[in-house]
Amino acid sequence: MKVTLIAHTPCPEKLVAAAAKLCYSDSGCENIMDGLTEEKTESFVKMLSDMGHESPIEHASFTFAIEGVSRTLLAQITRHRLASFSVQSQRYVKKNNFVYITPPAISEDKSINEMYEHSMQSSFDAYNAIADKLEGKYFNEFLSAGMSEKQAHSKAEKKAIEDARYVLPNSCETKMVVTMNARSLMNFFKLRCCMRAQWEIRELAEEMYRLCYKAAPSVFSSAGPPCCSGGCPEGKMTCGKINEVRDKFQKIKESL
């Protein structure tokens, strides 16, 4: 997995502070940014956190480039609706180099891993066989329709992999660009940094958290799983590792 913060709102904390300042003072648009020293900015952002006033942090957005993740993860992350996603297409990008994600629980067991790898290879072989047969079928149809060989080949290949991709497994690797505002990220971290989240999206969330905290520590000072800022809300489903989780996120903060 590789996660890169490729862009974010310039001076995100100052922007959030300016939005808060407008809410709680008689400042006008022309002087909204005036006097926002580092100390005052931090104070405004802390006030918002203490009050639970989250709408001002929506003005700051963060964009990530993500690769080395599975289609399983893609199905999970796109449930977070207040976000923008650009995902590598299996419709237009043929999987000549079949890359897949292996869960740790599978890779650490030799016999299970062998079964898994065999299943992956079978899927890839079927994908290629289906794509090749469909491409030949469509190529002849497009030639008969009067297309040149070059046009027929290009269109046939694209049309073939549209249907051949259905045989590809959820483990198939994908790449994406994701943009979320800070409020959506806070919710994402709350749900996906929790130990009850699946290992892959939890690993992604932790890396995104690390990058966000480094860029805007005041905005994300209370981010992370719920147990880092209070008790565990999971009840009987708790992981039972509250102290371990708190120590982990405290160490992330201290390392930046």
Side-chain angles (χ1 to χ4, degrees), residues 134-150:
L134 286 173
E135 184 176 347
K137 172 187 175 183
Y138 293 135
F139 177 73
N140 291 327
E141 290 179 0
F142 294 143
L143 278 180
S144 299
M147 290 186 183
S148 68
E149 286 193 8
K150 183 178 180 181

